[in-house]
Amino acid sequence: MSFPNVRMRRLRRTEAMRTMLNQIRIQPSNLIYPVFVDEALSEPEHITAMPGYFRCPLDQVIQEGQTALEQGIKSILLFGIPAEKNESGSGAYAKDGIIQQATRKLKDHFKDELIIMADVCLCEYINHGHCGIIKDGDIQNDKTLELLGKTAVSQAAAGVDIVAPSAMMDGQVGAIREALDEADFDQTAILAYSAKYASSFFGPFREAADSAPRFGNRKTYQMNPGGVKEALREIELDINEGADMVMVKPALAYLDILSLAKTTFDVPIVAYNTSGEYSLVRAAALNGWVDEQAVIHEILTSIKRAGADMIITYHAKNVNAWLNYT
Ligand code: PBG
Ligand code: ZN
């Protein structure tokens, strides 16, 4: 059968027809809303490289949670910016660290209605900005694992539901699972940043969190963008170490990896639509060069189509504005 018997345009004829046939629908409940909490602020502060996004003071986290819930979003992902950084990154695992304080506030207010996720890493808290502790210029993998375990436990103790280790240290998921279980947090889930590439798309985030490495780069721990099977190995290792969900990051430039992950593994797959991906869209939109809502809708549709069950995206903040865009 071929043309003229087959006419593909028949099923595209009306809006109702196209909507009926649509296979990819984004639901707010599958979106994860990132929130930067800054210990030093009393008023929200614009993030220059992420127009429309703010660093939020501790006092306003409840409002952020409200913004999420009102739009049908179930979870927020917390990033902490401590008032002071130090050599051991102790703000990451301090009992009154900024994430721990924010979490207690949110849990107290929203109980289990809002899922609290938290990034587990040291780069925001450590004075040199790398994701692990450093000795003689080298990242100490195994020493870092201890601190990541401690961080996850202190977050769980504050009420975090899902910890999200992003340091790309070998063995981090296993170390965190063990530390959590030992502290009786066997119900705290792990979302592993498994296939995290050494990407230039994190630039705006590093401005937001003031977490850029002060020397060198992250290429000895984050993945080379040219790696394919390496991503599958990273994911497999994390699943074997106890990850409940795995992540591919960034999303848009790595849709092939997302698709491979989806067809290879049975665990939920999360995509991180990163800060750089957000800022590119915002910049073009502010110049009037693209139809912003249409572009956001199309990008998130593509991420879902490639295989993401959930998407972490800064566009979640305004999901109602673009969700029903056709
Ligand atoms: C911390 C972390 C980063 C991101 C998430 N967790 C920065 C980095 O690894 O340099 C990036 C998020 C984004 O760009 O939106 N390790
Ligand atoms: Zn880090």
Side-chain angles (χ1 to χ4, degrees):
M1 283 264 277
S2 58
F3 178 83
N5 295 326
V6 176
R7 288 182 181 272
M8 297 301 284
R9 291 181 56 200
R10 277 182 205 127
L11 297 182
R12 293 178 199 144
R13 199 169 49 82
T14 66
E15 180 69 39
M17 199 87 89
R18 292 190 293 273
T19 304
M20 179 178 77
L21 282 148
N22 179 39
Q23 295 180 293
I24 306 292
R25 272 192 192 89
I26 296 163
Q27 289 177 310
S29 57
N30 298 138
L31 301 179
I32 298 164
Y33 173 39
V35 174
F36 297 98
V37 195
D38 190 329
E39 195 171 14
L41 294 181
S42 51
E43 292 293 321
E45 203 171 277
H46 281 280
I47 300 164
T48 316
M50 299 177 71
Y53 229 77
F54 299 85
R55 273 182 289 260
C56 141
L58 185 58
D59 276 354
Q60 287 192 19
V61 289
I62 303 295
Q63 271 160 267
E64 295 293 323
Q66 208 71 53
T67 301
L69 287 174
E70 274 165 11
Q71 303 190 91
I73 296 167
K74 302 291 174 197
S75 65
I76 64 178
L77 171 59
L78 295 176
F79 292 97
I81 305 155
E84 271 168 44
K85 302 176 195 283
N86 61 30
E87 195 151 321
S88 53
S90 60
Y93 42 89
K95 189 157 185 260
D96 61 348
I98 183 63
I99 294 240
Q100 290 78 357
Q101 291 189 60
T103 301
R104 281 193 293 266
K105 234 184 209 314
L106 287 160
K107 270 292 159 189
D108 190 46
H109 188 87
F110 295 110
K111 312 285 188 267
D112 279 345
E113 200 191 341
L114 182 70
I115 299 160
I116 311 295
M117 302 191 184
D119 193 73
V120 178
C121 201
L122 300 177
C123 55
E124 298 95 341
Y125 305 90
I126 214 158
N127 48 14
H128 50 64
H130 275 287
C131 301
I133 51 177
I134 288 192
K135 201 175 153 207
D136 303 329
D138 281 333
I139 312 274
Q140 306 289 297
N141 192 89
D142 300 13
K143 290 234 159 60
T144 301
L145 296 185
E146 263 171 59
L147 299 185
L148 295 175
K150 251 171 107 165
T151 303
V153 168
S154 77
Q155 291 178 350
V160 167
D161 299 292
I162 303 178
V163 295
S166 70
M168 285 299 279
M169 293 296 118
D170 287 325
Q172 64 180 12
V173 172
I176 287 172
R177 186 69 272 158
E178 203 181 304
L180 286 171
D181 288 355
E182 239 164 58
D184 273 344
F185 294 116
D186 57 15
Q187 291 301 306
T188 308
I190 301 178
L191 161 59
Y193 284 72
S194 303
K196 180 177 180 184
Y197 286 87
S199 168
S200 300
F201 285 103
F202 308 158
F205 173 99
R206 290 180 192 163
E207 187 217 290
D210 185 23
S211 66
R214 306 296 189 261
F215 61 89
N217 54 52
R218 302 208 200 288
K219 291 183 186 176
T220 70
Y221 41 107
Q222 298 181 349
M223 287 180 54
N224 178 346
V228 180
K229 291 203 167 165
E230 198 183 338
L232 299 180
R233 285 187 78 192
E234 285 280 9
I235 293 172
E236 189 172 17
L237 286 164
D238 283 357
I239 293 172
N240 290 338
E241 288 178 29
D244 299 282
M245 305 190 271
V246 297
M247 189 197 299
V248 173
K249 180 186 173 201
L252 204 47
Y254 298 86
L255 293 181
D256 56 331
I257 306 296
L258 258 178
S259 165
L260 275 173
K262 179 66 174 176
T263 52
T264 312
F265 301 105
D266 296 329
V267 297
I269 309 285
V270 179
Y272 201 137
N273 180 221
T274 55
S275 58
E277 298 166 76
Y278 170 85
S279 298
L280 253 48
V281 170
R282 291 290 294 145
L286 289 170
N287 275 291
W289 295 336
V290 294
D291 177 340
E292 181 170 29
Q293 295 178 8
V295 164
I296 294 171
H297 191 268
E298 190 172 336
I299 286 175
L300 294 185
T301 298
S302 78
I303 295 170
K304 188 142 198 212
R305 198 182 60 231
D309 298 300
M310 281 159 274
I311 306 172
I312 302 168
T313 179
Y314 303 93
H315 298 301
K317 196 181 185 74
N318 304 308
V319 55
N320 281 342
W322 52 262
L323 186 66
N324 296 315
Y325 198 96
T326 47

